[in-house]
Amino acid sequence: DIVMTQSPDSLAVSLGERATINCKSSQSVLYRSNNKNYLAWYQQKPGQPPKLLIDWASTRESGVPDRFSGSGSGTDFTLTISSLQAEDVAVYYCHQYCTPPGTFGQGTRVEIK
Amino acid sequence: EVQLVESGGGLVQPGGSLRLSCAASGFTFEDYTINWVRQAPGKGLEWVSGISWKSDTIVYADSVKGRFTISRDNAKNSLYLQMNSLRAEDTALYYCAKGTLLRFFRSAFDIWGQGTMVTVSS
């Protein structure tokens, strides 16, 4: 199975500052035939199910604020929150769906400093 | 409104069985892969199983292979998870989650239910 490793496990960022979360996969999740990275990012707030923010590594879902962006390819990916808002406090997960079984990173908790 | 609603969770003894259900509405259920994802208390997400739109592709996590069986009834817009030989480590909130892509197995999950809690304890 592909192992997804996120860093850091948690981070505290001041309001309005940038938050950066990294995700590394043990194997490439780039599918050569269509040149797409099978990598998604989710946000989970307490007591709620996860919410899909970004798929294909960099495609923001409809309604997701543009302060959220995804980047990377192959085995190394990044989720960036350009200007942290109070409502962004949550746990964030990366997820590879390239090779079944799909696997998630362990999660990164984002808090306000 | 597009939604998934899980049911069937509860308290069960180790070695016991439970059947979870997921009722879908607001989209063409028969066109999408649906998955089970679980989350142990205070822990991260673990994908459990997925089934393609016409049930010809079924995949399980190693941790549940041979004990859990996923199935679907497209006529009833419903997904199921039969869980046998339950262990304490199966204790978790079980979510069903819809794939984003029409008639394609490998995709992210755009719609999640609220989950149903399974507790395995004597």
Side-chain angles (χ1 to χ4, degrees), chain B residues 37-114:
Chain B
V37 177
R38 68 185 180 185
Q39 187 168 35
K43 302 297 184 182
L45 302 170
E46 180 189 14
W47 179 87
V48 173
S49 182
I51 184 168
S52 62
W53 64 100
K54 53 181 180 178
S55 304
D56 57 347
T57 300
I58 291 175
V59 184
Y60 297 98
D62 287 345
S63 58
V64 306
K65 203 173 292 182
R67 299 188 299 123
F68 290 12
T69 302
I70 191 172
S71 62
R72 65 190 293 164
D73 185 337
N74 288 340
K76 295 183 178 180
N77 290 344
S78 293
L79 174 76
Y80 306 101
L81 187 67
Q82 178 66 43
M83 304 187 296
N84 298 330
S85 303
L86 283 161
R87 307 166 179 167
E89 54 264 36
D90 295 318
T91 294
L93 185 63
Y94 284 73
Y95 295 104
C96 58
K98 168 188 166 291
T100 57
L101 297 180
L102 187 72
R103 300 187 179 187
F104 195 74
F105 187 81
R106 294 179 295 159
S107 67
F109 308 153
D110 60 350
I111 304 297
W112 296 64
Q114 292 295 316

Side-chain angles (χ1 to χ4, degrees), chain B residues 24-41:
Chain B
S25 59
F27 66 98
T28 307
F29 180 76
E30 65 186 15
D31 281 342
Y32 292 91
T33 292
I34 310 290
N35 303 267
W36 288 101
V37 177
R38 68 185 180 185
Q39 187 168 35

Side-chain angles (χ1 to χ4, degrees), chain B residues 16-28:
Chain B
S17 298
L18 214 52
R19 190 193 195 210
L20 306 184
S21 299
C22 172
S25 59
F27 66 98
T28 307

